[in-house]
Amino acid sequence: MAEPFKNLINPGTVAEAGQHLQRAWPAFDRARFESLATTGLEALELKARAMHLADALVATLPGDFAQAADVIEASLALPMALDALGEPVALGEAERESGISGWAVWSLGEFVVRRGMIDVPRALRCLHALTQRFSAEFAIRPFIAQHPQPTLATLTQWVHDPSAHVRRLVSEGSRPRLPWGQRLQALVRDPAPTLPLLRALQDDPSAYVRRSVANHLNDIAKDHPELVAQWVHDHRLGASAQRSALLRHASRTLIKQGHGPTLAAWGLGQPLQGQVSLALDRVAGGDRRHAGAAGQAAFRQRAPADTGGGLRRASRACQRQRVTQGVQGLEPDAGRSGNTGARQAPQPAPGDHAPALPGDAPRRAAHQRANGR
């Protein structure tokens, strides 16, 4: 039986976090932290476990947020490496033992949310460090919602960050409808503030970043389909193969829905032009079947240039299938691993839920290895 997702955060995760926090801050009450974090842990599901660890961090890290942020940053492992395609790969044993990485970082991000609103610039610098060891895509969302101007200004600077983890955070953290994340209602209503960010990142050299941009645009398409159709129209012509793949992935929902402007942006969705011939055989019992290659035609019908609703719908379905085949060749939101050596994440047990954070399988596998699972 597959191991439940909730066990990605376990007593071993707590012990490793306590070890590295005490290394970074000798006054850290490791025993109290581990007692608070492990009490009742077994009964909780994955997200609740992350929040439970955050409770223990709030109770034991320094009361001064700037000092606490210094401790957190000093306790972290080396940033996760990236492969040739810009996809994250698992930390080796030596790197994992150097500091906190993986699922415990989710709880550290939650601590920053709870305690860092009083000092947004310092909080964002801490999230910049955290996202390179796991992801801060959940933690940055309350800052976008409560302090949009300074947070979006910082994201604008981060589109040029040398770390692909940070550049991905710019897109993933500001998605209007990120699974498992706080919904950013202002951006659901008007995604205009994030469009310059996506424009700057859609040709990013990292596939990891580009996939996030595609998923972000797909989020926008659920509320503003014409905007995404226009985006495809404006950015498709003369696009590289990588950008074309991104645009197909971004418009996958609209293509499946047969959204006319999106199909038109791909040069599809036009009424069928030409002639159609149908041939049927009459057989015993009044049944009909399609005539064979030699078939005698029982009747023949010729369609005019504009064939009307039925054939137009059939034509659109065929064209939609052609584009969908291209979409199916691209990694989905749940992502197949670009890192073929990465171990797959366990499947959720009944009653448990797959974490959204991973919108990518490579990251899930990397986090599991980072925690020795």
Side-chain angles (χ1 to χ4, degrees):
M1 181 178 178
E3 185 176 7
F5 267 102
K6 67 179 185 178
N7 289 340
L8 292 168
I9 297 178
N10 56 70
T13 311
V14 174
E16 287 185 5
Q19 171 192 344
H20 294 300
L21 288 168
Q22 188 177 57
R23 170 183 56 77
W25 183 43
F28 180 68
D29 191 343
R30 178 180 176 183
R32 181 166 180 250
F33 165 74
E34 293 185 12
S35 175
L36 291 171
T38 55
T39 299
L41 186 68
E42 180 59 32
L44 302 176
E45 300 301 331
L46 180 62
K47 186 174 182 179
R49 289 187 181 202
M51 301 303 102
H52 187 64
L53 263 67
D55 294 340
L57 290 167
V58 169
T60 53
L61 282 174
D64 177 75
F65 175 69
Q67 182 186 1
D70 289 343
V71 171
I72 288 172
E73 291 171 3
S75 72
L76 297 175
L78 297 172
M80 284 194 298
L82 301 171
D83 65 17
L85 297 177
E87 298 281 6
V89 298
L91 293 176
E93 187 67 19
E95 292 88 349
R96 187 175 65 82
E97 291 181 354
S98 70
I100 300 175
S101 64
W103 294 93
V105 175
W106 188 356
S107 303
L108 294 172
E110 177 63 19
F111 172 88
V112 173
V113 172
R114 298 184 191 182
R115 296 283 302 280
M117 290 294 173
I118 60 172
D119 189 350
V120 173
R122 183 67 187 91
L124 294 178
R125 290 200 303 274
C126 192
L127 296 184
H128 181 280
L130 291 178
T131 205
Q132 297 180 64
R133 280 80 179 176
F134 185 58
S135 179
E137 64 200 57
F138 296 152
I140 202 167
R141 301 174 75 75
F143 290 93
I144 294 174
Q146 298 179 41
H147 301 281
Q149 185 173 355
T151 306
L152 290 170
T154 299
L155 294 183
T156 300
Q157 298 173 4
W158 286 354
V159 298
H160 305 294
D161 196 273
S163 170
H165 299 291
V166 175
R167 299 196 305 275
R168 175 187 180 270
L169 177 63
V170 172
S171 169
E172 197 73 6
S174 61
R175 283 177 60 179
R177 296 177 173 272
L178 179 69
W180 270 45
Q182 174 184 341
R183 183 169 295 180
L184 299 177
Q185 295 292 1
L187 294 178
V188 169
R189 292 190 297 270
D190 179 13
T194 64
L195 297 183
L197 306 177
L198 304 183
R199 190 174 294 110
L201 293 171
Q202 69 177 347
D203 293 315
D204 194 274
S206 169
Y208 182 46
V209 176
R210 296 195 305 274
R211 186 166 57 251
S212 176
V213 173
N215 290 330
H216 191 141
L217 287 167
N218 189 58
D219 275 6
I220 293 174
K222 296 171 184 176
D223 302 289
H224 305 277
E226 286 75 17
L227 188 157
V228 174
Q230 187 64 44
W231 184 286
V232 173
H233 176 272
D234 293 345
H235 295 274
R236 186 180 71 85
L237 295 180
S240 66
Q242 291 177 337
R243 186 195 287 184
S244 293
L246 181 153
L247 295 174
R248 286 198 301 273
H249 198 40
S251 54
R252 63 192 184 274
T253 297
L254 298 178
I255 291 169
K256 292 175 183 177
Q257 292 172 349
H259 184 249
T262 301
L263 293 176
W266 285 103
L268 303 170
Q270 301 302 313
L272 179 65
Q273 301 293 322
Q275 298 178 337
V276 174
S277 296
L278 302 176
L280 297 175
D281 274 350
R282 184 179 297 278
V283 296
D287 292 334
R288 294 173 181 240
R289 65 181 179 182
H290 186 273
Q296 297 91 14
F299 71 88
R300 185 170 299 273
Q301 177 176 330
R302 296 177 67 82
D306 185 354
T307 57
L311 286 176
R312 193 157 53 240
R313 287 192 296 272
S315 171
R316 179 169 294 179
C318 292
Q319 295 167 7
R320 186 165 65 243
Q321 177 63 24
R322 285 166 52 199
V323 182
T324 301
Q325 289 172 352
V327 174
Q328 291 170 343
L330 195 65
E331 295 181 23
D333 196 2
R336 66 176 181 270
S337 175
N339 173 22
T340 55
R343 185 174 60 187
Q344 294 299 312
Q347 296 302 309
D352 207 352
H353 299 278
L357 170 66
D360 337 281
R363 180 174 279 269
R364 277 203 302 267
H367 298 335
Q368 286 179 281
R369 288 190 172 184
N371 281 283
R373 301 211 58 80

